[in-house]
Amino acid sequence: MKKVFVTFLLVSAFWIMAVFPASAEGYTTRIGGKDRFEVAVNVSKQGWSSANTVILANYDAYADALAAAPLSYRYNAPILLTQPGVLTAATKAEIDRLNATSVIAVGGPASISDSVLTEISNMGIKVERISGSNRFEVANNIALRLGQSSKVILAYGLNFPDALAIAPYAARNGYPILLTNTHTMTQGTRNIITQWGVNETIIVGGEGSISREIANSVPNPSRIDGRNRFEVASNIANKYFSTRAQASVATGMNFADALTGSALAAKRNEPILLTSSTSIPNETRNAIINNGYQSFFIFGGPASVSDGIYNSLAVSIVGKTIMIDAGHGGSDPGASGTTSGGTKLVEKELVLDMSKRIQSRLTSSMSKVLMTRTGDSYPTLNERVAQANRSGADIFVSMHVNSYSTSSPHGTETWWNGTYESADSKLLAEEIQKELIATLGTYDRGVKHGDFRVIKDTKIPSVLVEIAFVTNKGDADLLADPTFRQKAADAVYRGIINYFNKQ
Ligand SMILES: [Zn+2]
């Protein structure tokens, strides 16, 4: 899937690895720093070897800078932060490194003092200030600086998450971000909309942030909604960045990293997803799974986005689509046998149980799982193959238990077929078989080439797993044990991870 981006991913992977120590598992990179100034500087270093223009904002007053991202993109300018009274040393050094000739300070003298501007001026750099009597006017003045647009973004001005989440999309398209209160919009903002002849307004946030009355008062409104900041950011990603393979992630609890990161996210044409500091909210998780994001920039240090989050995003199966085929079902029970205690076992039930356990592991690791069946139904072999071939899935794993006409054969084997994706199918079979044997301690019957329909006609890398023999008493006793079936599922899960690690 997403072949279009493969070349880009490869190129960016080398580029990332050249600059940062690469994670072995994926292309997930943290752009951290001991404080927000340093995070901003590191974002700038990641994205720019030089820059004519730098956007400068106050380090703890987000109001003025909310609308700055489109300006940053227009001038290919990183966004750096400063203290109000004195130019922060790390920021000054970065302006030097970039060889900037121009700095645009966003905000009035209370945000960035005249003495800071003088200090920059003394570096031989042209300085411009965009300010206003309030945040709405600053946003208007940034919009006027960007120039006329027939389409504008309208975001809630009294908080930062929505305006920053829309920033990469607004920036790339040159749409200014205008700000409003929930129930009142300033006359200055209305004037811009009228004078420009705006014919489309994208409203970001729920009606609790921007009321229906405000929405109805602007030209041709469409709303990107959400029950919370995480969902709004996710919905922006779903709407505008669903075909991208990469995303950036920042804390949704503080503005600084998302603001300075938005300049890089816009440049890389990727969404900013928001997270809490120690766990990824479900809304964000779903956006990752459904859009298939596989490569991430994390903006901020571990206090903002924990190492646990970093680690979970770095797993090789994040954003991958995996089809699990529980063999047989419905009118086709598959093989059957009895345990030494006399309990009857039926293949279709055992493999559905294990398939669901695999599904659960994969889903919690942010893979998208497609199941050929989730209940006691029987999709034909042709239907299973057709499902796989139209799925866009990365791999196909068919789950079975084995049988024989006598009771002695036992053990575990994994099958692949050389018709399509031969090398990857074989690798997947090897990785799964290795984990199964190491985990289950069953007899190793090996990896085998075979002509089963679901692996022969399936055009994506595909394997057929035979966990153990239901017709052998020892194996049947194992299969009857839910702990064993969970271990088998865990082993298949790890085999899949190892396979993607070797891609
Ligand atoms: Zn079977």
Side-chain angles (χ1 to χ4, degrees):
M1 35 176 342
K2 296 182 176 167
K3 288 254 162 33
V4 178
F5 305 112
V6 167
T7 307
F8 177 79
L9 275 176
L10 288 175
V11 170
S12 65
F14 287 122
W15 170 65
I16 290 162
M17 285 189 279
V19 180
F20 284 85
S23 116
E25 293 84 14
Y27 304 139
T28 294
T29 305
R30 181 193 289 283
I31 304 181
K34 71 178 191 311
D35 54 32
R36 58 187 64 187
F37 302 105
E38 205 175 284
V39 173
V41 165
N42 287 334
V43 167
S44 171
K45 284 180 174 162
Q46 178 71 52
W48 289 265
S49 57
S50 67
N52 288 333
T53 305
V54 167
I55 309 289
L56 193 62
N58 179 292
Y59 80 107
D60 81 343
Y62 65 81
D64 291 338
L66 275 182
L71 201 60
S72 147
Y73 188 75
R74 168 71 57 84
Y75 294 104
N76 192 16
I79 300 174
L80 299 177
L81 302 174
T82 185
Q83 290 148 306
V86 57
L87 181 61
T88 303
T91 303
K92 184 172 185 175
E94 180 60 6
I95 293 171
D96 255 340
R97 185 194 70 85
L98 290 162
N99 270 316
T101 56
S102 162
V103 167
I104 302 175
V106 178
S111 293
I112 301 175
S113 67
D114 286 334
S115 65
V116 168
L117 300 196
T118 304
E119 201 177 340
I120 296 167
S121 200
N122 289 342
M123 294 164 72
I125 293 171
K126 180 170 146 278
V127 182
E128 175 188 352
R129 184 197 291 281
I130 299 181
S131 62
S133 57
N134 55 49
R135 62 190 69 193
F136 307 102
E137 201 175 302
V138 176
N140 291 344
N141 288 334
I142 291 172
L144 293 168
R145 184 71 163 71
L146 284 167
Q148 187 166 356
S149 171
S150 60
K151 198 165 172 175
V152 296
I153 311 285
L154 190 62
Y156 181 54
L158 298 192
N159 208 341
F160 60 88
D162 297 348
L164 294 181
I166 196 68
Y169 171 76
R172 279 198 77 86
N173 290 282
Y175 304 146
I177 300 171
L178 302 176
L179 302 176
T180 182
N181 277 316
T182 305
H183 297 287
T184 55
M185 196 191 303
T186 67
Q187 193 55 47
T189 306
R190 287 202 183 281
N191 289 345
I192 287 178
I193 290 173
T194 307
Q195 284 158 17
W196 281 357
V198 167
N199 57 31
E200 199 176 339
T201 311
I202 298 171
I203 292 168
V204 188
E207 289 183 5
S209 301
I210 300 179
S211 69
R212 195 175 308 179
E213 291 68 31
I214 293 284
N216 289 338
S217 74
V218 296
N220 192 17
S222 63
R223 187 189 287 271
I224 302 177
D225 211 338
R227 281 162 300 184
N228 55 48
R229 60 191 63 188
F230 307 111
E231 191 168 63
V232 172
S234 295
N235 285 339
I236 290 167
N238 296 341
K239 184 158 186 180
Y240 298 119
F241 297 95
S242 66
T243 62
R244 304 295 288 145
Q246 56 187 27
S248 48
V249 177
T251 174
M253 315 317 285
N254 193 299
F255 79 98
D257 298 340
L259 171 66
T260 56
S262 70
L264 184 58
K267 200 174 159 81
R268 284 165 48 88
N269 192 14
E270 66 189 31
I272 291 188
L273 300 173
L274 299 177
T275 183
S276 61
S277 63
T278 54
S279 72
I280 304 175
N282 282 334
E283 297 85 352
T284 306
R285 182 176 284 275
N286 290 337
I288 291 170
I289 294 171
N290 293 326
N291 297 315
Y293 300 133
Q294 299 173 14
S295 156
F296 303 90
F297 269 164
I298 293 171
F299 300 135
S304 302
V305 180
S306 69
D307 285 331
I309 291 178
Y310 172 91
N311 291 335
S312 64
L313 289 173
V315 178
S316 61
I317 55 173
V318 173
K320 295 287 197 298
T321 303
I322 293 159
M323 182 167 265
I324 303 294
D325 173 43
H328 313 279
S331 59
D332 171 16
S336 58
T338 48
T339 64
S340 52
T343 305
K344 192 181 179 203
L345 298 177
V346 181
E347 181 180 4
K348 68 174 183 179
E349 293 165 4
L350 295 172
V351 297
L352 181 61
D353 174 83
M354 287 187 281
S355 296
K356 286 182 169 174
R357 292 173 190 271
I358 298 168
Q359 175 188 31
S360 164
R361 289 300 307 269
L362 290 169
T363 305
S364 61
S365 290
M366 291 179 278
S367 293
K368 183 176 190 171
V369 181
L370 306 174
M371 303 282 281
T372 56
R373 68 178 178 101
T374 54
D376 187 22
S377 61
Y378 180 69
T380 65
L381 297 182
N382 281 343
E383 282 164 359
R384 293 173 206 241
V385 168
Q387 277 190 53
N389 286 342
R390 67 169 177 260
S391 66
D394 295 285
I395 59 168
F396 176 92
V397 177
S398 187
M399 292 296 294
H400 290 258
V401 297
N402 227 332
S403 66
Y404 199 67
S405 53
T406 64
S407 64
S408 56
H410 63 287
T412 303
E413 62 196 25
T414 305
W415 297 80
W416 62 284
N417 180 275
T419 308
Y420 299 103
E421 301 290 349
S422 178
D424 282 345
S425 294
K426 182 160 185 272
L427 176 63
L428 180 58
E430 287 166 352
E431 295 302 328
I432 289 176
Q433 177 73 8
K434 206 182 295 173
E435 284 295 327
L436 283 168
I437 296 305
T439 306
L440 303 178
T442 45
Y443 174 64
D444 185 1
R445 301 175 63 89
V447 164
K448 299 175 178 179
H449 186 276
D451 284 335
F452 301 103
R453 178 88 63 81
V454 291
I455 56 175
K456 181 164 177 282
D457 294 343
T458 298
K459 294 179 180 175
I460 54 178
S462 53
V463 296
L464 187 149
V465 183
E466 299 276 12
I467 293 293
F469 277 71
V470 75
T471 45
N472 173 271
K473 288 284 178 262
D475 275 12
D477 288 350
L478 292 173
L479 286 166
D481 179 1
T483 307
F484 175 87
R485 296 198 300 271
Q486 184 60 49
K487 280 185 181 174
D490 293 346
V492 171
Y493 163 80
R494 285 193 302 274
I496 291 171
I497 290 178
N498 294 343
Y499 163 80
F500 283 113
N501 282 344
K502 292 188 175 178
Q503 287 296 289

